[in-house]
Amino acid sequence: MKLEEFREALRSVIGPDIEDTWAERFFSEVDISCTGQVTWQQLCSYLLLEYSERERASIPTAALLDSQPLIRHCSNNKREPTVRVVAVSHPPPLRYVSYPGRPSLLLMGDEKGGVHLMWFLNLTNGLFKKLSKKENGPQRIFFSDLGEHSDMVSYRHIPNIHQESINRVMFEPDTNVIMTSSESDTTSVVFMNVAPKREPYIWKFKQGAKCFDYNASLQLMVTGGCDRAVRLWTRFVTTRPVATLLGHRATVLDVAIHQPVEQILSYSRDAELRVWDISSHRCLKTVCLQFPCQQPGRIPEHGNFPFLLLSPPHLEESRLVVGCKDYLALLSLSKTRRGGGGWLTDEGPKSGPAVSCALYNSALRQVVTGYADSSVCLWDVETGRRRLQIVNTHGEDGLTCMALDSSHRRLITGAHNGTIKVWNLLNGLNLHKLEPVTNSEVTALTCLHGNQLLAVGWSQRIVQYDIAAAKDLYVRADMSWKSNGVHKSDILAVRQCSALGVVATASYDGEIIVWRMEIQGPVLRLQRPNQRGVLPPVDSLLFLQHRAGNRKLRNRGVLVSSQGGCLSFWSITGETHTYGQFYAPEQAGERVLSLNSDQTKNTILVSGDTSGWLQIWEICHFALEIQREPGCERPPMMRHWKAHKTAIVSAEVLEVADRLFVLTASADGSAGLWTVDGDHVGCFGQKVTWNMTEPATYQRTTQRELTGGPEESTESDDTELSRVKSQVPDPTNGGLTSQEECRSEDQRDREKVRDSCVGTAGGRKVQLGIFRLERDRLETSRSLEAAKLSVTVANTCSLSARLSLQLLPRKEEEEEEKEEEEEEKK
């Protein structure tokens, strides 16, 4: 069926009131091959996958944040097994005593199945009565002599609770309940009150319990033993378990309940760690811990208490310590419940994996984020809510790059291991697996007209794939591009310009090569001059598509490259190729990893640097003339703010609801949406959703209030910024800074930058950079009120206009500002 036939069929089954937009989306999701037709087999497959995905998404992911633990050797153990690990929050000396109230109680289980109870009556003076005889070493008190210490300790013995030796003792202080376990079939676990009047609760099961854990808030007990089963029990039902979790292949040595995520951790003698979900009783993850003491075919030695579960307030983050012989393994745990594998917190995925790439799909109005843990998330840009998640896209290897096909309904992902895959964005189905040329990293992807995909990376070659005509799962690589041996280093970036019919690639050695699509061969090499030899790598490329499509502008600066923090504008068709260069980051020594622009007009340029700062430049008239002294001229900076804590790996300009927004993604694990004015719309994945048409729903964190934007910067901030910019070396002049080379008497006066203001000239809005003299000179010399200062004005309609502004009296200046505000409102 085609779309119209499919819509009519739905109406005949469901009813005539279905919405056309819903029917179209349903049709697109079923049409996995993007042919414009759907079959009955595709519909059945879609329904099966849809309900399977819903079931999978309802199960949380495992609490383990890292599958490879941090393993340390305990050299003081002298190759003996660690019996138990205890968390020490204060330095010694210590007394290990539980606190159920006053007095304090110490519990001990013995080999005959009995429990010893000691109430310490005066802890401030010690545990026992001090003996007159001075002895070296610890104080030794025998049970038979406890009567002599009746003022300090009260003692009681409860015999024959179990028929076997007691292996675990726990105490619930709120109810005064003692919990013990043994490997006895008749008394496997016993809950008994300190007061002997109440009847105990006794659990009986085959081979007894070798370990157990209890959580009072969940009213849940978990046991493990020699029969390799993990059992879940309720507090007051002893006859049958709630669930029996099977999967371990050796004796279960320890279990623990991780309450924040409602999961169970179990550990067996063969060093296998399993994570179970309490509600669904499913095994979420299995990790085989690789201790160095393990030998093939031999069971490693363990102590009686391999586990130590640490949660707040002992540590800021939940941790699990596992002991095996004389080694300890430390694993990080999630402290909040995660549904469907996502980190849904109030402020976005902070504790999640790093974001490696992100892009915007204008056709579906979705944001796609790729992560270092090989997962992909699709977000609704209008609300920030997650629509779909694809996990384990490339196995253990993280994502490095992404691209959309021509229809914007398929996603192409590349990974560290050189694999490339094609996905259906509507249902998460893997459509194609592309033949890898090498097992080295794929760094960038771009899809040409007709769904001809180009892939570049550490192979130093351009590989093409025809994903338009592909019908099979596996697509072979096409090596027709004449790229063998052209790049001498790893290719880091690739961009295409259909208006000019070219593709640009950039490599680690700082070289940019322009290729013509018709001949699939190189036609131009671009490289910044350098007198010191080695150039920094090119981190990003960007074609200004509006300029490239304009006959009057296509010979000017149409290609932007980022190299060592310097943004260079290149012409690829004119006689002169260098049209502009300036340093973009807020601090010296940083790099710009992402570039983007509003491609319908190319009025702004967005750059994100490695320190987390985002800059928005006005480039209407920048790089339209050849820059006489490279590095001395910069386009006006409209806004800048700190968008993330760490490096911005992706920045993209979006046009939604006739407004411009900026998408940012960072290595800190978060992706955010901003207005071009610097207001924070929100982070994707936050609990509170937003509405892009209603600014009242934005998070409204104006970064200029926190970091001081160009309109609110102080004199000290501007001085520091000027100092940083002046210290950035320019590779084109033998290491001299750009300001040292271009310094003149006129520029020394301009260094005293006070602020920026908005004025009008000829009925059009201009951005004025007013260079004011010191305040004391203005106060001491009234004659300066009529003085004329020469200022540099960045006009939206002219690249650099010289204006002569007269300092007016204060009243006239205020009246002029009011008139300007009224004109702006109009």
Side-chain angles (χ1 to χ4, degrees):
M1 291 183 180
K2 293 185 178 180
L3 176 59
E4 292 298 330
E5 297 173 315
F6 187 75
R7 186 188 291 115
E8 293 300 323
L10 287 178
R11 286 173 177 165
S12 64
V13 175
I14 301 176
D17 298 331
I18 64 172
E19 297 180 358
D20 290 341
T21 55
W22 177 84
E24 291 176 5
R25 180 173 180 81
F26 189 17
F27 179 85
S28 300
E29 291 180 356
V30 177
D31 182 17
I32 58 175
S33 57
C34 304
T35 60
Q37 293 182 345
V38 296
T39 64
W40 176 254
Q41 183 180 5
Q42 288 177 337
L43 177 61
C44 295
S45 300
Y46 168 79
L47 294 176
L48 178 62
L49 290 172
E50 175 70 16
Y51 285 104
S52 299
E53 170 64 20
R54 290 185 182 182
E55 183 181 7
R56 186 201 64 80
S58 63
I59 303 174
T61 56
L64 292 179
L65 297 181
D66 46 6
S67 58
Q68 297 299 326
L70 180 65
I71 297 179
R72 289 289 182 266
H73 182 235
C74 303
S75 57
N76 294 331
N77 285 22
K78 298 179 180 180
R79 298 185 179 181
E80 294 295 327
T82 300
V83 177
R84 188 166 193 167
V85 182
V86 179
V88 179
S89 57
H90 299 283
L94 297 170
R95 298 183 177 93
Y96 301 100
V97 180
S98 63
Y99 290 91
R102 295 183 180 180
S104 298
L105 175 63
L106 175 65
L107 300 172
M108 293 179 289
D110 58 31
E111 294 181 349
K112 296 182 179 181
V115 174
H116 304 264
L117 295 83
M118 294 183 183
W119 286 272
F120 295 99
L121 309 177
N122 193 355
L123 280 176
T124 57
N125 295 327
L127 300 181
F128 301 97
K129 183 179 178 181
K130 294 183 179 180
L131 302 177
S132 57
K133 183 180 179 181
K134 295 183 179 179
E135 296 181 357
N136 295 327
Q139 185 179 6
R140 300 181 180 181
I141 307 295
F142 294 93
F143 282 101
S144 59
D145 299 332
L146 285 177
E148 302 177 4
H149 303 266
S150 57
D151 295 338
M152 301 292 294
V153 59
S154 176
Y155 170 71
R156 178 185 167 197
H157 178 233
I158 306 177
N160 302 325
I161 299 177
H162 296 269
Q163 280 69 45
E164 301 286 343
S165 60
I166 295 177
N167 49 36
R168 294 291 168 98
V169 176
M170 291 184 66
F171 186 76
E172 187 182 8
D174 295 335
T175 57
N176 280 340
V177 172
I178 303 171
M179 296 166 278
T180 56
S181 65
S182 71
E183 297 184 53
S184 171
D185 295 344
T186 57
T187 54
S188 303
V189 180
V190 177
F191 282 21
M192 61 179 300
N193 199 282
V194 175
K197 297 180 180 180
R198 300 182 181 180
E199 291 292 328
Y201 288 88
I202 302 176
W203 285 264
K204 305 175 183 179
F205 46 92
K206 189 177 181 181
Q207 299 185 21
K210 198 170 187 66
C211 56
F212 80 97
D213 191 18
Y214 176 74
N215 187 274
S217 61
L218 298 177
Q219 294 287 294
L220 179 70
M221 181 180 69
V222 182
T223 61
C226 296
D227 61 352
R228 299 171 293 181
V230 177
R231 294 180 174 87
L232 279 64
W233 309 81
T234 59
R235 172 69 172 80
F236 302 104
V237 179
T238 62
T239 55
R240 65 170 64 181
V242 175
T244 301
L245 312 180
L246 303 177
H248 280 292
R249 295 165 293 182
T251 299
V252 178
L253 298 180
D254 217 338
V255 291
I257 300 174
H258 189 30
Q259 181 187 345
V261 294
E262 297 183 2
Q263 294 178 10
I264 296 170
L265 305 167
S266 61
Y267 181 73
S268 56
R269 194 182 296 275
D270 56 354
E272 183 181 83
L273 176 65
R274 286 180 175 257
V275 185
W276 312 82
D277 181 56
I278 293 178
S279 59
S280 64
H281 308 152
R282 295 192 180 188
C283 181
L284 304 178
K285 194 167 189 176
T286 301
V287 179
C288 295
L289 300 181
Q290 301 296 327
F291 290 99
C293 59
Q294 291 180 251
Q295 298 180 4
R298 304 185 68 176
I299 300 296
E301 297 182 63
H302 293 86
N304 295 330
F305 306 91
F307 268 4
L308 174 63
L309 181 60
L310 295 172
S311 299
H314 297 289
L315 290 176
E316 294 182 359
E317 298 180 355
S318 298
R319 301 291 182 89
L320 177 68
V321 181
V322 184
C324 177
K325 200 174 181 180
D326 53 343
Y327 285 89
L328 294 178
L330 180 66
L331 298 100
S332 300
L333 303 177
S334 173
K335 58 183 178 182
T336 56
R337 187 173 179 85
R338 298 175 289 155
W343 280 261
L344 301 183
T345 60
D346 291 334
E347 300 180 2
K350 275 189 175 180
S351 60
V355 181
S356 54
C357 46
L359 53 84
Y360 174 61
N361 188 340
S362 58
L364 300 179
R365 288 201 171 189
Q366 290 181 350
V367 169
V368 187
T369 53
Y371 297 88
D373 67 344
S374 194
S375 64
V376 172
C377 285
L378 276 67
W379 312 90
D380 186 358
V381 72
E382 296 179 347
T383 61
R385 184 183 293 111
R386 190 177 65 187
R387 299 294 299 269
L388 180 67
Q389 183 186 32
I390 310 173
V391 297
N392 197 30
T393 57
H394 291 265
E396 296 293 331
D397 292 273
L399 293 178
T400 55
C401 55
M402 298 188 302
L404 295 173
D405 75 334
S406 302
S407 66
H408 284 203
R409 291 170 58 187
R410 290 186 289 182
L411 176 72
I412 305 104
T413 58
H416 285 289
N417 59 357
T419 57
I420 306 173
K421 295 183 180 181
V422 183
W423 308 85
N424 189 312
L425 278 174
L426 298 170
N427 52 31
L429 184 65
N430 184 201
L431 302 177
H432 304 292
K433 297 180 180 179
L434 310 187
E435 178 189 8
V437 177
T438 63
N439 58 357
S440 57
E441 180 176 323
V442 179
T443 57
L445 301 165
T446 186
C447 198
L448 306 180
H449 180 70
N451 278 333
Q452 300 297 315
L453 178 70
L454 299 185
V456 298
W458 290 5
S459 65
Q460 303 178 11
R461 301 185 66 181
I462 298 179
V463 186
Q464 181 172 313
Y465 300 91
D466 186 2
I467 61 175
K471 296 182 179 180
D472 299 329
L473 178 64
Y474 295 95
V475 180
R476 297 186 61 85
D478 181 2
M479 308 301 296
S480 59
W481 280 73
K482 306 175 184 67
S483 60
N484 189 18
V486 178
H487 273 290
K488 305 301 181 183
S489 184
D490 300 337
I491 304 176
L492 302 182
V494 61
R495 288 278 187 166
Q496 62 159 311
C497 182
S498 57
L500 299 177
V502 297
V503 172
T505 56
S507 57
Y508 187 82
D509 57 4
E511 186 177 41
I512 301 172
I513 297 179
V514 180
W515 311 72
R516 188 166 296 281
M517 297 182 190
E518 295 177 352
I519 62 175
Q520 296 183 348
V523 294
L524 180 65
R525 292 176 182 266
L526 302 173
Q527 197 167 25
R528 279 170 40 190
N530 184 30
Q531 299 178 0
R532 295 189 177 183
V534 180
L535 279 172
V538 178
D539 296 308
S540 182
L541 290 174
L542 176 69
F543 272 108
L544 302 178
Q545 303 291 350
H546 172 72
R547 289 190 182 184
N550 190 316
R551 291 185 178 181
K552 297 181 179 179
L553 303 177
R554 62 173 52 184
N555 293 333
R556 312 296 174 85
V558 297
L559 176 63
V560 187
S561 65
S562 167
Q563 190 173 8
C566 289
L567 304 187
S568 301
F569 286 69
W570 306 91
S571 169
I572 62 175
T573 57
E575 296 181 0
T576 303
H577 300 302
T578 303
Y579 265 71
Q581 176 183 311
F582 65 95
Y583 186 80
E586 298 299 315
Q587 302 173 3
E590 301 293 339
R591 296 156 56 196
V592 173
L593 302 181
S594 52
L595 292 170
N596 211 277
S597 175
D598 55 330
Q599 295 290 17
T600 58
K601 297 180 180 179
N602 289 146
T603 58
I604 62 173
L605 177 70
V606 175
S607 61
D609 61 34
T610 50
S611 62
W613 280 80
L614 189 78
Q615 302 90 16
I616 299 182
W617 310 88
E618 184 182 336
I619 60 167
C620 285
H621 304 281
F622 186 76
L624 297 182
E625 301 292 339
I626 299 176
Q627 199 175 77
R628 297 179 180 178
E629 298 178 1
C632 295
E633 297 180 9
R634 290 160 39 106
M637 182 186 290
M638 300 173 60
R639 294 285 186 275
H640 71 292
W641 65 87
K642 189 163 180 68
H644 294 275
K645 295 182 179 179
T646 56
I648 297 177
V649 298
S650 181
E652 191 164 342
V653 179
L654 324 180
E655 186 172 354
V656 183
D658 298 328
R659 293 186 60 189
L660 291 181
F661 297 86
V662 180
L663 164 69
T664 60
S666 170
D668 62 10
S670 64
L673 192 66
W674 312 79
T675 67
V676 290
D677 295 326
D679 290 333
H680 194 192
V681 178
C683 286
F684 291 95
Q686 66 183 31
K687 287 185 178 179
V688 181
T689 60
W690 63 75
N691 187 338
M692 297 195 72
T693 59
E694 298 180 6
T697 62
Y698 297 172
Q699 187 168 323
R700 308 297 293 180
T701 304
T702 304
Q703 293 300 314
R704 284 173 289 138
E705 298 176 358
L706 302 177
T707 59
E711 294 183 5
E712 300 175 359
S713 59
T714 62
E715 187 172 358
S716 60
D717 294 335
D718 291 327
T719 304
E720 178 64 19
L721 180 60
S722 178
R723 183 187 65 81
V724 172
K725 299 299 183 183
S726 65
Q727 292 178 355
V728 179
D730 186 358
T732 64
N733 52 30
L736 293 178
T737 62
S738 58
Q739 290 223 5
E740 288 174 348
E741 186 184 23
C742 304
R743 186 179 299 273
S744 63
E745 293 296 331
D746 182 51
Q747 285 178 310
R748 289 193 182 97
D749 293 334
R750 299 177 190 175
E751 289 179 354
K752 302 182 178 70
V753 180
R754 184 65 173 91
D755 56 7
S756 298
C757 66
V758 177
T760 56
R764 289 178 291 189
K765 186 177 180 181
V766 298
Q767 185 80 9
L768 305 179
I770 299 181
F771 299 84
R772 299 185 180 180
L773 300 178
E774 292 91 335
R775 185 181 302 274
D776 55 351
R777 292 178 60 189
L778 289 173
E779 292 178 353
T780 56
S781 179
R782 294 185 179 180
S783 61
L784 286 177
E785 293 179 353
K788 294 181 179 180
L789 298 180
S790 177
V791 300
T792 301
V793 179
N795 195 325
T796 56
C797 302
S798 64
L799 176 64
S800 178
R802 300 284 294 182
L803 297 182
S804 179
L805 297 183
Q806 183 176 10
L807 291 180
L808 303 176
R810 182 171 183 81
K811 292 183 179 180
E812 297 180 10
E813 186 176 344
E814 291 176 354
E815 293 177 358
E816 186 181 22
E817 291 177 355
K818 290 181 180 179
E819 292 177 0
E820 292 173 354
E821 292 177 357
E822 292 176 358
E823 291 180 3
E824 288 180 4
K825 291 179 181 179
K826 293 179 182 180

